[in-house]
Coordinates of all heavy atoms in Angstrom, one line a residue:
M1 N 0.8 -1.2 0.0 CA 0.0 0.0 0.0 C 0.9 1.3 0.0 O 0.4 2.3 -0.5 CB -0.9 0.0 1.2 CG -1.7 1.3 1.4 SD -2.9 1.2 2.6 CE -3.6 2.8 2.3
N2 N 2.1 1.2 0.5 CA 2.9 2.4 0.7 C 4.3 2.0 0.4 O 4.9 1.1 1.0 CB 2.8 2.9 2.1 CG 3.4 4.2 2.3 OD1 3.9 4.8 1.4 ND2 3.5 4.7 3.5
A3 N 5.0 2.7 -0.6 CA 6.3 2.4 -0.9 C 7.3 3.2 -0.1 O 8.5 2.9 -0.1 CB 6.6 2.7 -2.4
K4 N 6.8 4.3 0.5 CA 7.7 5.1 1.3 C 8.0 4.4 2.6 O 7.2 3.9 3.3 CB 7.0 6.5 1.6 CG 7.8 7.4 2.4 CD 7.0 8.6 2.8 CE 7.7 9.6 3.7 NZ 8.2 9.0 5.0
V5 N 9.3 4.5 3.0 CA 9.7 3.9 4.3 C 9.1 4.8 5.5 O 9.3 6.0 5.5 CB 11.2 3.9 4.4 CG1 11.7 3.4 5.8 CG2 11.8 3.0 3.4
I6 N 8.4 4.1 6.4 CA 7.8 4.8 7.5 C 9.0 5.0 8.5 O 9.6 4.0 8.9 CB 6.7 3.9 8.1 CG1 5.6 3.8 7.1 CG2 6.2 4.6 9.4 CD1 4.5 2.8 7.6
E7 N 9.2 6.2 8.9 CA 10.4 6.6 9.7 C 10.1 6.7 11.2 O 11.0 6.5 12.0 CB 11.0 7.9 9.1 CG 11.5 7.8 7.7 CD 12.8 7.1 7.6 OE1 13.5 6.8 8.6 OE2 13.1 6.7 6.4
N8 N 8.9 7.1 11.5 CA 8.6 7.5 12.9 C 7.2 7.2 13.3 O 6.4 6.8 12.4 CB 9.0 8.9 13.2 CG 8.3 9.9 12.3 OD1 7.1 9.8 12.1 ND2 9.0 10.8 11.7
H9 N 6.9 7.4 14.6 CA 5.5 7.2 15.1 C 4.5 8.0 14.3 O 3.4 7.4 14.0 CB 5.5 7.5 16.6 CG 4.1 7.3 17.2 ND1 3.2 8.3 17.3 CD2 3.6 6.2 17.7 CE1 2.1 7.9 17.9 NE2 2.3 6.6 18.1
D10 N 4.7 9.2 14.1 CA 3.7 10.1 13.4 C 3.4 9.5 12.0 O 2.2 9.4 11.6 CB 4.2 11.5 13.3 CG 4.2 12.2 14.6 OD1 3.5 11.8 15.5 OD2 4.9 13.2 14.7
E11 N 4.4 9.1 11.3 CA 4.2 8.5 9.9 C 3.5 7.2 10.0 O 2.7 6.9 9.2 CB 5.6 8.4 9.2 CG 6.2 9.7 8.8 CD 7.5 9.5 8.1 OE1 8.0 8.4 7.9 OE2 8.2 10.5 7.8
L12 N 3.8 6.4 11.1 CA 3.2 5.1 11.3 C 1.7 5.3 11.5 O 0.8 4.7 10.9 CB 3.8 4.4 12.4 CG 3.1 3.0 12.8 CD1 3.2 2.1 11.7 CD2 3.8 2.5 14.1
M13 N 1.3 6.3 12.4 CA -0.1 6.6 12.7 C -0.8 7.1 11.4 O -2.0 6.7 11.2 CB -0.2 7.6 13.8 CG 0.3 7.0 15.2 SD -0.3 5.4 15.6 CE -2.0 5.7 15.8
Y14 N -0.2 7.9 10.6 CA -0.7 8.4 9.4 C -1.0 7.2 8.5 O -2.1 7.1 7.9 CB 0.2 9.4 8.7 CG -0.3 9.9 7.4 CD1 -1.3 10.9 7.4 CD2 0.2 9.4 6.2 CE1 -1.8 11.4 6.1 CE2 -0.3 9.9 5.0 CZ -1.2 10.9 5.0 OH -1.7 11.3 3.8
W15 N -0.1 6.3 8.3 CA -0.2 5.1 7.5 C -1.4 4.2 8.0 O -2.2 3.8 7.2 CB 1.1 4.4 7.4 CG 1.0 3.1 6.5 CD1 1.0 3.1 5.2 CD2 0.9 1.8 7.0 NE1 0.9 1.8 4.7 CE2 0.9 1.0 5.8 CE3 0.8 1.2 8.2 CZ2 0.7 -0.4 5.9 CZ3 0.7 -0.2 8.3 CH2 0.7 -1.0 7.1
I16 N -1.4 4.0 9.3 CA -2.5 3.2 9.8 C -3.9 3.8 9.5 O -4.8 3.1 9.2 CB -2.3 3.0 11.3 CG1 -1.1 2.0 11.6 CG2 -3.6 2.5 12.0 CD1 -0.7 1.8 13.0
N17 N -4.0 5.1 9.6 CA -5.3 5.8 9.3 C -5.6 5.6 7.8 O -6.8 5.4 7.5 CB -5.2 7.3 9.7 CG -5.3 7.5 11.1 OD1 -5.9 6.8 11.9 ND2 -4.6 8.6 11.6
L18 N -4.6 5.7 7.0 CA -4.9 5.4 5.5 C -5.4 4.0 5.3 O -6.3 3.8 4.5 CB -3.6 5.7 4.7 CG -3.2 7.1 4.5 CD1 -1.8 7.1 3.8 CD2 -4.2 7.9 3.8
V19 N -4.7 3.0 6.0 CA -5.1 1.6 5.8 C -6.6 1.5 6.3 O -7.4 0.8 5.7 CB -4.2 0.7 6.6 CG1 -4.7 -0.7 6.7 CG2 -2.8 0.7 6.0
E20 N -6.9 2.1 7.5 CA -8.3 1.9 8.0 C -9.3 2.5 7.1 O -10.4 1.9 6.9 CB -8.4 2.6 9.4 CG -7.7 1.7 10.4 CD -7.8 2.3 11.8 OE1 -8.0 3.6 12.0 OE2 -7.7 1.5 12.8
K21 N -9.0 3.6 6.4 CA -9.9 4.2 5.5 C -10.1 3.3 4.3 O -11.2 3.1 3.8 CB -9.4 5.6 5.0 CG -9.6 6.7 6.0 CD -9.0 8.0 5.5 CE -9.1 9.1 6.6 NZ -8.5 10.3 6.3
E22 N -9.0 2.7 3.8 CA -9.2 1.8 2.6 C -9.8 0.5 3.0 O -10.6 0.0 2.3 CB -7.8 1.5 2.1 CG -7.8 0.7 0.8 CD -6.5 0.6 0.1 OE1 -5.9 1.6 -0.1 OE2 -6.1 -0.5 -0.2
Y23 N -9.5 0.0 4.2 CA -10.1 -1.3 4.7 C -11.5 -1.1 5.1 O -12.3 -2.1 5.1 CB -9.2 -1.8 5.9 CG -9.5 -3.2 6.4 CD1 -9.5 -4.2 5.5 CD2 -9.7 -3.4 7.7 CE1 -9.7 -5.5 6.0 CE2 -9.9 -4.7 8.2 CZ -10.0 -5.7 7.3 OH -10.2 -7.0 7.8
G24 N -11.9 0.1 5.5 CA -13.3 0.4 5.9 C -13.7 0.2 7.3 O -14.8 0.3 7.7
R25 N -12.7 -0.1 8.1 CA -13.0 -0.3 9.6 C -11.6 -0.3 10.3 O -10.6 -0.3 9.7 CB -13.8 -1.5 9.9 CG -13.1 -2.8 9.5 CD -14.0 -4.0 9.8 NE -13.5 -5.2 9.5 CZ -12.7 -6.0 10.3 NH1 -12.5 -5.6 11.5 NH2 -12.3 -7.1 9.9
S26 N -11.8 -0.3 11.7 CA -10.6 -0.3 12.5 C -9.7 -1.6 12.2 O -10.2 -2.7 12.1 CB -11.0 -0.3 14.0 OG -9.8 -0.5 14.8
I27 N -8.4 -1.4 12.2 CA -7.5 -2.5 12.0 C -7.2 -3.2 13.3 O -6.4 -4.2 13.3 CB -6.2 -2.1 11.3 CG1 -5.5 -1.1 12.1 CG2 -6.5 -1.7 9.8 CD1 -4.0 -1.0 11.8
L28 N -7.7 -2.7 14.4 CA -7.5 -3.3 15.7 C -8.4 -4.4 16.0 O -8.3 -5.0 17.1 CB -7.5 -2.2 16.8 CG -6.5 -1.1 16.6 CD1 -6.7 0.0 17.7 CD2 -5.1 -1.6 16.6
I29 N -9.4 -4.7 15.2 CA -10.4 -5.7 15.4 C -10.2 -6.8 14.4 O -10.2 -6.6 13.2 CB -11.8 -5.1 15.3 CG1 -12.0 -4.0 16.3 CG2 -12.9 -6.2 15.5 CD1 -13.3 -3.2 16.1
N30 N -10.0 -8.0 14.9 CA -9.8 -9.2 14.1 C -8.7 -9.1 13.0 O -8.8 -9.6 11.9 CB -11.1 -9.6 13.4 CG -12.2 -10.0 14.4 OD1 -12.0 -10.6 15.4 ND2 -13.4 -9.6 14.1
T31 N -7.6 -8.5 13.4 CA -6.4 -8.4 12.6 C -5.2 -8.7 13.4 O -5.2 -8.8 14.6 CB -6.3 -7.0 12.0 OG1 -6.1 -6.1 13.0 CG2 -7.5 -6.6 11.1
S32 N -4.1 -8.9 12.7 CA -2.8 -9.1 13.3 C -1.8 -8.0 12.7 O -1.9 -7.8 11.5 CB -2.2 -10.5 13.0 OG -3.0 -11.5 13.6
I33 N -1.0 -7.5 13.5 CA 0.0 -6.5 13.1 C 1.4 -7.1 13.4 O 1.6 -7.5 14.5 CB -0.2 -5.1 13.8 CG1 -1.6 -4.6 13.5 CG2 0.9 -4.2 13.3 CD1 -1.9 -3.3 14.2
H34 N 2.2 -7.3 12.4 CA 3.5 -7.9 12.5 C 4.6 -6.9 12.0 O 4.4 -6.3 10.9 CB 3.6 -9.2 11.7 CG 2.6 -10.2 12.1 ND1 2.7 -11.0 13.1 CD2 1.4 -10.4 11.5 CE1 1.6 -11.8 13.2 NE2 0.8 -11.5 12.2
F35 N 5.7 -6.8 12.7 CA 6.9 -6.2 12.2 C 7.8 -7.3 11.8 O 8.0 -8.2 12.6 CB 7.5 -5.3 13.3 CG 6.8 -4.0 13.5 CD1 5.8 -3.9 14.4 CD2 7.2 -2.9 12.8 CE1 5.1 -2.7 14.6 CE2 6.6 -1.6 13.0 CZ 5.5 -1.5 13.8
I36 N 8.2 -7.3 10.5 CA 9.0 -8.4 10.0 C 10.3 -7.9 9.4 O 10.4 -6.7 9.0 CB 8.2 -9.2 8.9 CG1 7.8 -8.2 7.8 CG2 7.0 -9.8 9.5 CD1 7.3 -8.9 6.6
S37 N 11.3 -8.8 9.3 CA 12.6 -8.5 8.7 C 12.8 -9.6 7.6 O 12.4 -10.7 7.8 CB 13.7 -8.5 9.7 OG 13.6 -7.5 10.6
G38 N 13.4 -9.2 6.5 CA 13.7 -10.2 5.5 C 14.6 -9.7 4.4 O 15.1 -8.6 4.4
T39 N 14.8 -10.6 3.4 CA 15.6 -10.3 2.3 C 14.7 -10.2 1.0 O 13.8 -11.0 0.8 CB 16.6 -11.5 2.1 OG1 17.4 -11.6 3.2 CG2 17.5 -11.1 0.9
Y40 N 14.9 -9.1 0.3 CA 14.1 -8.8 -0.9 C 14.7 -9.6 -2.1 O 15.8 -10.2 -2.0 CB 14.1 -7.3 -1.2 CG 13.5 -6.5 -0.2 CD1 14.3 -5.7 0.7 CD2 12.1 -6.4 0.0 CE1 13.7 -4.9 1.7 CE2 11.6 -5.6 1.0 CZ 12.4 -4.9 1.8 OH 11.8 -4.1 2.8
E41 N 13.9 -9.7 -3.2 CA 14.4 -10.4 -4.3 C 15.7 -10.0 -4.9 O 16.5 -10.7 -5.5 CB 13.3 -10.3 -5.4 CG 12.0 -11.1 -5.1 CD 10.9 -10.9 -6.1 OE1 11.2 -10.2 -7.1 OE2 9.8 -11.4 -5.8
D42 N 16.1 -8.7 -4.7 CA 17.3 -8.2 -5.2 C 18.5 -8.4 -4.2 O 19.6 -8.0 -4.5 CB 17.2 -6.7 -5.5 CG 17.0 -5.8 -4.2 OD1 16.9 -6.4 -3.1 OD2 16.9 -4.6 -4.4
G43 N 18.2 -9.1 -3.1 CA 19.3 -9.5 -2.2 C 19.5 -8.5 -1.0 O 20.2 -8.8 -0.1
T44 N 18.8 -7.4 -1.1 CA 19.0 -6.4 0.0 C 18.0 -6.9 1.2 O 17.1 -7.6 1.0 CB 18.6 -5.0 -0.4 OG1 17.2 -5.0 -0.9 CG2 19.5 -4.5 -1.5
T45 N 18.3 -6.4 2.4 CA 17.5 -6.7 3.5 C 16.8 -5.5 4.0 O 17.2 -4.4 3.7 CB 18.3 -7.3 4.7 OG1 19.3 -6.3 5.1 CG2 19.0 -8.6 4.3
G46 N 15.7 -5.7 4.7 CA 14.9 -4.6 5.2 C 13.9 -5.0 6.2 O 13.8 -6.2 6.5
H47 N 13.1 -4.1 6.6 CA 12.1 -4.3 7.6 C 10.7 -3.8 7.1 O 10.7 -2.8 6.3 CB 12.4 -3.6 8.9 CG 13.8 -3.8 9.4 ND1 14.3 -5.1 9.9 CD2 14.9 -3.0 9.3 CE1 15.5 -5.0 10.1 NE2 16.0 -3.8 9.8
A48 N 9.6 -4.3 7.6 CA 8.3 -3.9 7.2 C 7.3 -4.2 8.3 O 7.5 -4.9 9.2 CB 7.9 -4.7 5.9
I49 N 6.2 -3.5 8.1 CA 5.0 -3.8 8.9 C 4.0 -4.4 8.0 O 3.8 -4.0 6.9 CB 4.4 -2.5 9.6 CG1 3.2 -2.8 10.5 CG2 4.1 -1.4 8.6 CD1 2.7 -1.6 11.3
E50 N 3.3 -5.5 8.5 CA 2.3 -6.1 7.8 C 1.0 -6.2 8.6 O 1.1 -6.4 9.8 CB 2.6 -7.6 7.4 CG 3.7 -7.7 6.3 CD 3.9 -9.1 5.9 OE1 3.5 -10.1 6.6 OE2 4.5 -9.3 4.8
I51 N -0.1 -6.0 8.0 CA -1.4 -6.2 8.7 C -2.2 -7.2 7.9 O -2.3 -7.2 6.7 CB -2.2 -4.8 8.7 CG1 -1.4 -3.8 9.4 CG2 -3.5 -5.1 9.4 CD1 -2.0 -2.4 9.4
T52 N -2.6 -8.3 8.7 CA -3.4 -9.3 8.1 C -4.7 -9.5 8.8 O -4.9 -9.1 9.9 CB -2.6 -10.7 8.2 OG1 -2.4 -11.0 9.6 CG2 -1.3 -10.7 7.4
N53 N -5.7 -10.0 8.1 CA -7.0 -10.2 8.7 C -7.1 -11.5 9.4 O -6.0 -12.2 9.5 CB -8.1 -10.2 7.6 CG -8.0 -11.2 6.5 OD1 -7.3 -12.2 6.7 ND2 -8.7 -11.0 5.4
A54 N -8.2 -11.9 9.9 CA -8.3 -13.1 10.8 C -8.0 -14.4 10.0 O -7.6 -15.4 10.6 CB -9.7 -13.2 11.3
Q55 N -8.1 -14.3 8.7 CA -7.7 -15.5 7.8 C -6.3 -15.4 7.4 O -5.9 -16.2 6.5 CB -8.7 -15.5 6.6 CG -10.1 -15.8 6.9 CD -10.9 -14.6 7.5 OE1 -10.6 -13.5 7.1 NE2 -11.7 -14.9 8.4
E56 N -5.5 -14.5 8.0 CA -4.1 -14.3 7.6 C -3.9 -13.8 6.2 O -2.8 -14.0 5.6 CB -3.3 -15.6 7.9 CG -3.2 -15.9 9.4 CD -2.5 -14.8 10.2 OE1 -1.4 -14.3 9.8 OE2 -3.0 -14.5 11.3
E57 N -4.9 -13.2 5.6 CA -4.7 -12.6 4.3 C -4.2 -11.2 4.5 O -4.6 -10.4 5.4 CB -6.1 -12.5 3.6 CG -6.7 -13.9 3.4 CD -8.2 -13.8 3.0 OE1 -8.9 -12.9 3.4 OE2 -8.6 -14.7 2.3
L58 N -3.2 -10.8 3.6 CA -2.6 -9.5 3.7 C -3.5 -8.4 3.4 O -4.2 -8.4 2.4 CB -1.4 -9.5 2.8 CG -0.5 -8.2 2.9 CD1 0.2 -8.1 4.2 CD2 0.5 -8.2 1.7
I59 N -3.6 -7.4 4.4 CA -4.4 -6.2 4.2 C -3.5 -5.1 3.7 O -3.8 -4.4 2.7 CB -5.1 -5.8 5.5 CG1 -6.1 -6.8 5.9 CG2 -5.7 -4.4 5.3 CD1 -6.7 -6.6 7.3
A60 N -2.3 -5.0 4.3 CA -1.4 -3.9 3.9 C 0.0 -4.2 4.4 O 0.2 -5.0 5.4 CB -1.9 -2.6 4.5
R61 N 1.0 -3.7 3.7 CA 2.4 -3.8 4.0 C 3.1 -2.6 3.6 O 2.8 -2.0 2.6 CB 3.0 -5.0 3.3 CG 4.5 -5.2 3.5 CD 5.1 -6.3 2.6 NE 4.5 -7.6 2.9 CZ 4.2 -8.4 1.9 NH1 4.3 -8.0 0.6 NH2 3.7 -9.6 2.2
S62 N 4.1 -2.2 4.5 CA 4.9 -1.0 4.2 C 6.3 -1.2 4.8 O 6.4 -1.7 5.9 CB 4.2 0.3 4.7 OG 5.0 1.4 4.3
P63 N 7.3 -0.7 4.1 CA 8.6 -0.7 4.7 C 8.7 0.2 5.9 O 8.1 1.2 5.9 CB 9.6 -0.3 3.6 CG 8.7 0.4 2.6 CD 7.3 -0.1 2.7
V64 N 9.5 -0.2 6.9 CA 9.8 0.7 8.1 C 11.3 0.9 8.3 O 12.1 0.0 7.8 CB 9.1 0.1 9.3 CG1 7.6 0.0 9.2 CG2 9.7 -1.2 9.7
S65 N 11.6 1.9 8.9 CA 13.0 2.2 9.2 C 13.6 1.3 10.2 O 12.9 0.6 11.0 CB 13.2 3.7 9.7 OG 12.6 3.8 11.0
V66 N 14.9 1.2 10.3 CA 15.6 0.4 11.3 C 15.2 0.9 12.7 O 15.0 0.1 13.6 CB 17.1 0.4 11.1 CG1 17.9 -0.2 12.3 CG2 17.5 -0.2 9.8
E67 N 15.1 2.2 12.9 CA 14.8 2.8 14.2 C 13.4 2.3 14.6 O 13.2 2.0 15.8 CB 14.9 4.3 14.1 CG 16.3 4.8 14.0 CD 16.8 4.8 12.5 OE1 16.0 4.6 11.6 OE2 18.0 5.0 12.3
L68 N 12.4 2.4 13.7 CA 11.1 1.9 14.1 C 11.0 0.4 14.3 O 10.3 0.0 15.3 CB 10.1 2.3 12.9 CG 8.6 2.4 13.3 CD1 8.3 3.3 14.5 CD2 7.8 2.8 12.1
M69 N 11.8 -0.3 13.6 CA 11.9 -1.8 13.9 C 12.5 -2.0 15.2 O 12.0 -2.9 16.0 CB 12.7 -2.5 12.8 CG 12.7 -4.0 12.9 SD 11.0 -4.6 12.5 CE 11.3 -6.3 12.6
N70 N 13.5 -1.3 15.6 CA 14.2 -1.5 16.9 C 13.2 -1.1 18.0 O 13.1 -1.8 19.0 CB 15.4 -0.6 17.0 CG 16.5 -1.2 16.2 OD1 16.5 -2.4 15.8 ND2 17.5 -0.4 15.9
F71 N 12.4 -0.1 17.8 CA 11.4 0.4 18.8 C 10.3 -0.7 18.9 O 9.9 -1.1 20.1 CB 10.7 1.7 18.4 CG 9.6 2.1 19.3 CD1 9.9 2.6 20.5 CD2 8.3 2.0 18.9 CE1 8.9 3.0 21.3 CE2 7.3 2.4 19.7 CZ 7.5 2.9 20.9
A72 N 9.9 -1.3 17.8 CA 8.9 -2.4 17.9 C 9.4 -3.6 18.6 O 8.7 -4.2 19.5 CB 8.5 -2.8 16.5
N73 N 10.7 -4.0 18.4 CA 11.3 -5.1 19.1 C 11.4 -4.8 20.6 O 11.1 -5.7 21.4 CB 12.6 -5.4 18.5 CG 12.5 -6.1 17.2 OD1 11.6 -6.7 16.8 ND2 13.6 -5.9 16.4
K74 N 11.8 -3.6 20.9 CA 11.9 -3.2 22.4 C 10.5 -3.3 23.0 O 10.4 -3.8 24.1 CB 12.5 -1.8 22.5 CG 12.7 -1.3 23.9 CD 13.4 0.0 23.9 CE 13.6 0.5 25.4 NZ 14.2 1.8 25.4
M75 N 9.5 -2.7 22.4 CA 8.1 -2.8 23.0 C 7.6 -4.2 23.1 O 7.0 -4.6 24.1 CB 7.2 -2.0 22.1 CG 7.4 -0.5 22.1 SD 7.5 0.2 23.8 CE 5.9 -0.1 24.4
Q76 N 7.9 -5.1 22.2 CA 7.5 -6.5 22.3 C 8.2 -7.1 23.5 O 7.6 -7.9 24.2 CB 7.9 -7.2 21.0 CG 7.5 -8.7 21.0 CD 8.0 -9.5 19.8 OE1 8.7 -8.9 19.0 NE2 7.5 -10.7 19.7
S77 N 9.5 -6.8 23.7 CA 10.2 -7.4 24.8 C 9.6 -6.9 26.1 O 9.5 -7.7 27.1 CB 11.7 -7.0 24.7 OG 12.4 -7.4 25.8
I78 N 9.3 -5.6 26.2 CA 8.7 -5.0 27.4 C 7.3 -5.7 27.7 O 7.1 -6.1 28.8 CB 8.6 -3.5 27.3 CG1 10.0 -2.9 27.3 CG2 7.7 -2.9 28.4 CD1 10.0 -1.4 27.0
V79 N 6.5 -5.8 26.7 CA 5.2 -6.4 26.9 C 5.3 -7.9 27.3 O 4.6 -8.3 28.3 CB 4.3 -6.3 25.6 CG1 3.1 -7.1 25.7 CG2 4.0 -4.8 25.4
A80 N 6.2 -8.6 26.7 CA 6.4 -10.0 27.1 C 6.9 -10.1 28.5 O 6.4 -10.9 29.3 CB 7.4 -10.7 26.1
N81 N 7.8 -9.3 28.9 CA 8.4 -9.3 30.3 C 7.3 -8.9 31.3 O 7.2 -9.5 32.3 CB 9.6 -8.3 30.4 CG 10.2 -8.5 31.7 OD1 10.4 -9.5 32.3 ND2 10.7 -7.3 32.3
Q82 N 6.5 -7.9 31.0 CA 5.4 -7.5 31.9 C 4.4 -8.7 32.0 O 3.8 -8.9 33.1 CB 4.7 -6.3 31.4 CG 5.5 -5.0 31.6 CD 4.8 -3.8 31.0 OE1 3.9 -3.8 30.2 NE2 5.3 -2.6 31.5
G83 N 4.1 -9.4 30.9 CA 3.2 -10.5 31.0 C 3.7 -11.6 31.9 O 3.0 -12.2 32.7
V84 N 5.0 -11.9 31.8 CA 5.6 -12.9 32.7 C 5.6 -12.5 34.2 O 5.2 -13.2 35.0 CB 7.1 -13.2 32.3 CG1 7.9 -14.0 33.3 CG2 7.2 -13.9 30.9
Q85 N 5.9 -11.2 34.4 CA 5.9 -10.7 35.8 C 4.4 -10.7 36.3 O 4.2 -11.0 37.5 CB 6.4 -9.2 35.8 CG 7.9 -9.1 35.5 CD 8.8 -10.0 36.3 OE1 8.6 -10.1 37.5 NE2 9.7 -10.7 35.7
S86 N 3.5 -10.4 35.5 CA 2.1 -10.4 35.9 C 1.6 -11.8 36.3 O 0.9 -12.0 37.3 CB 1.2 -9.9 34.8 OG -0.2 -9.9 35.2
L87 N 2.1 -12.8 35.5 CA 1.7 -14.2 35.8 C 2.4 -14.6 37.1 O 1.8 -15.3 37.9 CB 2.1 -15.1 34.7 CG 1.3 -15.0 33.4 CD1 1.9 -15.9 32.3 CD2 -0.1 -15.4 33.6
K88 N 3.6 -14.2 37.3 CA 4.3 -14.6 38.6 C 3.6 -14.0 39.8 O 3.5 -14.6 40.8 CB 5.8 -14.1 38.5 CG 6.7 -14.9 37.7 CD 8.1 -14.4 37.7 CE 9.0 -15.2 36.8 NZ 10.4 -14.6 36.8
G89 N 3.2 -12.7 39.6 CA 2.6 -12.0 40.8 C 1.2 -12.5 41.1 O 0.7 -12.3 42.2
N90 N 0.5 -13.2 40.1 CA -0.9 -13.6 40.3 C -1.0 -15.1 40.4 O -2.1 -15.6 40.2 CB -1.8 -13.0 39.2 CG -1.9 -11.5 39.3 OD1 -2.0 -11.0 40.3 ND2 -1.8 -10.9 38.1
T91 N 0.0 -15.8 40.6 CA 0.0 -17.3 40.7 C -0.6 -17.7 42.0 O -0.1 -17.3 43.1 CB 1.4 -17.9 40.5 OG1 1.8 -17.5 39.2 CG2 1.3 -19.4 40.5
T92 N -1.6 -18.5 42.0 CA -2.2 -19.0 43.3 C -1.6 -20.3 43.6 O -1.5 -21.2 42.8 CB -3.7 -19.1 43.1 OG1 -4.3 -17.9 42.7 CG2 -4.4 -19.6 44.4
Q93 N -1.3 -20.5 44.9 CA -0.7 -21.7 45.3 C -1.8 -22.5 46.0 O -2.6 -22.1 46.8 CB 0.4 -21.5 46.3 CG 1.6 -20.9 45.7 CD 2.8 -20.8 46.7 OE1 2.7 -21.2 47.8 NE2 3.9 -20.2 46.2
L94 N -1.9 -23.8 45.5 CA -2.9 -24.7 46.1 C -2.3 -25.6 47.1 O -1.2 -26.0 47.0 CB -3.6 -25.6 45.0 CG -4.3 -24.8 43.9 CD1 -4.7 -25.8 42.8 CD2 -5.5 -24.0 44.4
H95 N -3.0 -25.8 48.2 CA -2.5 -26.6 49.3 C -3.3 -27.9 49.5 O -4.4 -27.9 49.3 CB -2.5 -25.9 50.7 CG -1.6 -24.7 50.7 ND1 -0.3 -24.7 50.8 CD2 -1.9 -23.3 50.5 CE1 0.2 -23.5 50.7 NE2 -0.8 -22.6 50.5

């Protein structure tokens, strides 16, 4: 949907709004958002954001900057760590 590399949060939010307008509804319902890294057909590597529907069909994809990819990885790590800590704190012991 977008050939321009998304560089920052503002550009990401703008792109998400464009996707929602084209998709016709919120992309936060029955969709998955993935930040991916890979190798293109020409041998170069890069990062992208992909949005898929509940059937894993591609809705939209756009390249993202290294900085935005690093931020996404950091946020994923924080969320995963908070989930583990939450589970540890709420574990009930049975006697």
